[in-house]
Amino acid sequence: MKVIVLGGGLMGTAAAFFLAKRGLRPTLIERNRVGTGATVASFGNIRRTGRYLPQLPLAHRARALWGEAERLLGRDVEFRATGHIRLIFDEGSLADMRAFAEAARPWGLDLDELAPNEIHARFPGLGPGAIAASFSPEDGSGNPRLIAPAFAAAARALGAEIVEEAGAAQIERTGSGFRVVTAGGAYEADIVLNAAGAWGRQIAAQFGEPVPLESRGPQMGVTEPLPHRVLPVVGVWSRDPAWGGYLRQVERGNIVFGGAAVRTEVALDPGHAKADPARLPGQIRALARLLPALADVAVIRTWSGCEGYVEDDLPIMGASATTPGLFHAFGFCGHGFQLGPGVGDAMAELIATGGCATPLEDFRIDRFASAA
Ligand SMILES: Cc1cc2nc3c(=O)[nH]c(=O)nc-3n(C[C@H](O)[C@H](O)[C@H](O)COP(=O)(O)OP(=O)(O)OC[C@H]3O[C@@H](n4cnc5c(N)ncnc54)[C@H](O)[C@@H]3O)c2cc1C
């Protein structure tokens, strides 16, 4: 069985790796270089707190694989289980956190609740005004620059073909499968996996599967280095998205940050997602509540990336509803970095065996058609 994976972001490279591990010889086709789409722009958060509950089995599968990544890929992709803290500043958000924690427990996610004295003793400098926090000790972060190239290299070592700088311009049905035409030549396969991220909507549309997906660019930034003291990834429980910032300190001291509802326009054709410096002050205002030290340091770079946001904030995963042999895994709505290894593994299982131990039903592509 020949498989073509369209798109060399985290989802496509991880799928190629796990397909190859299952003994298949996939061909991955990427229009730029692997990992240069949303994946490289990611904040790098490996977070399960706050997720849609039926997505937790996939998130747990992904988290287990992040823990194995160095062994599986033969290189350190800087996954660090530093813990993930979410600070709370008002009673409404405290109630939301407690409700989520209770509902998530049967789904296998245990969150600790921290009182202000515990926050200040364990994480000095964080959230002086916080009234509580949730803490997920086994979550953390990974390096968005390393992960997709690492999956691609490991897939290649197992026999996968990785074709870069060759966008799929045309995808045709043949008698038994598909013919994918690129500027560098044509490739044939029985199966196509659409892992084209924000661009996945265009590919699905070619097969009569419209998806309400909007492409936007969440804005990130990084500061000059500060003395290293913030270990966990830091977020917030807030009903107001304008206060919904997040940050982490990398080992050399810089603070990487994002959130506060800042999402910019993107241009999918060139693949550009411009950051808007004018929106930085609002982000810093939200983030300084989490880490006041941030108010006094210089921001040295801002950036963004093209991400696909589906109307219901859930990804598209599973078999096509119109075309046998076509599969989709795209539109990860700003939280695909954590899921990536699990998505690749689950899609490889589904393609290779026809079934998947992890429930994917809620992510099926025809969910919008059936709602109409
Ligand atoms: C700025 C930013 C910060 C984020 N932070 C986090 C975070 O902290 N935690 C988290 O969990 N998630 C985060 N996300 C989301 C996460 O990064 C994405 O959901 C994830 O990387 C998506 O991976 P992907 O492989 O689906 O898409 P991409 O990485 O975009 O890969 C898709 C690839 O398909 C290629 N492609 C497109 N069309 C074609 C074609 N016709 N032929 C061939 N190739 C094609 C593109 O060039 C691209 O490389 C963030 C996203 C952004 C943009």
Side-chain angles (χ1 to χ4, degrees):
M1 184 167 70
K2 287 175 95 177
V3 183
I4 289 176
V5 178
L6 294 179
L10 175 51
M11 307 309 165
T13 56
F17 172 76
F18 287 109
L19 284 163
K21 255 183 95 65
R22 286 176 178 271
L24 285 94
R25 294 285 171 268
T27 298
L28 182 148
I29 297 176
E30 163 55 48
R31 70 175 202 153
N32 291 320
R33 306 300 300 265
V34 294
T36 55
T39 301
V40 75
S42 177
F43 168 77
N45 203 356
I46 296 179
R47 162 193 68 81
R48 286 171 293 175
T49 305
R51 279 191 188 266
Y52 173 65
L53 295 172
Q55 198 178 66
L56 282 173
L58 181 63
H60 296 326
R61 184 172 181 159
R63 169 61 187 83
L65 289 166
W66 276 110
E68 290 285 296
E70 184 165 357
R71 186 186 62 78
L72 286 171
L73 303 178
R75 65 174 75 172
D76 179 12
V77 291
E78 295 179 10
F79 167 65
R80 302 287 183 265
T82 55
H84 177 256
I85 186 169
R86 262 192 170 185
L87 299 163
I88 298 167
F89 294 88
D90 61 89
E91 292 296 333
S93 301
L94 179 59
D96 292 346
M97 185 279 281
R98 286 179 175 158
F100 176 83
E102 195 177 324
R105 204 166 299 118
W107 290 89
L109 181 67
D110 278 318
L111 296 183
D112 302 333
E113 180 177 330
L114 305 184
N117 60 338
E118 292 171 286
I119 300 170
H120 305 141
R122 288 176 63 179
F123 308 111
L126 285 189
I131 60 167
S134 66
F135 189 64
S136 180
E138 287 171 16
D139 286 340
S141 63
N143 189 323
R145 284 182 298 108
L146 301 181
I147 189 66
F151 266 122
R156 189 184 274 124
L158 291 174
E161 185 183 10
I162 308 292
V163 184
E164 294 179 287
E165 295 178 347
Q170 224 179 305
I171 307 159
E172 298 159 2
R173 280 299 267 149
T174 62
S176 58
F178 300 87
R179 186 164 184 269
V180 176
V181 182
T182 75
Y187 299 81
E188 296 209 353
D190 311 292
I191 303 282
V192 164
L193 170 59
N194 168 16
W199 299 263
R201 182 179 77 147
Q202 299 164 354
I203 292 171
Q206 291 179 39
F207 294 92
E209 300 189 278
V211 171
L213 177 150
E214 192 188 11
S215 299
R216 306 290 292 174
Q219 181 163 312
M220 307 290 116
V222 62
T223 70
E224 61 187 346
L226 288 169
H228 189 261
R229 56 181 181 171
V230 182
L231 195 59
V233 178
V234 185
V236 61
W237 287 92
S238 173
R239 292 179 179 181
D240 180 352
W243 287 104
Y246 43 85
L247 60 89
R248 66 189 176 94
Q249 190 170 29
V250 300
E251 280 159 28
R252 71 184 295 272
N254 312 71
I255 310 277
V256 185
F257 61 84
V262 179
R263 290 183 191 161
T264 62
E265 308 275 312
V266 302
L268 278 188
D269 200 17
H272 294 161
K274 269 208 268 181
D276 177 3
R279 297 164 88 167
L280 203 51
Q283 268 184 318
I284 297 294
R285 179 187 71 125
L287 293 161
R289 200 164 67 141
L290 312 184
L291 180 68
L294 204 67
D296 301 321
V297 285
V299 173
I300 56 176
R301 190 164 76 86
T302 56
W303 70 92
S304 185
C306 300
E307 175 70 337
Y309 291 88
V310 182
E311 194 178 74
D312 60 4
D313 213 29
L314 296 176
I316 306 294
M317 284 180 73
S320 158
T322 61
T323 310
L326 176 66
F327 292 81
H328 301 288
F330 68 92
F332 282 89
C333 307
H335 24 79
F337 188 77
Q338 190 279 341
L339 295 176
V343 171
D345 193 25
M347 293 309 297
E349 182 189 355
L350 182 62
I351 289 168
T353 70
C356 183
T358 302
L360 302 177
E361 179 63 14
D362 286 11
F363 315 132
R364 65 192 194 284
I365 192 162
D366 63 349
R367 64 186 186 265
F368 303 103
S370 56

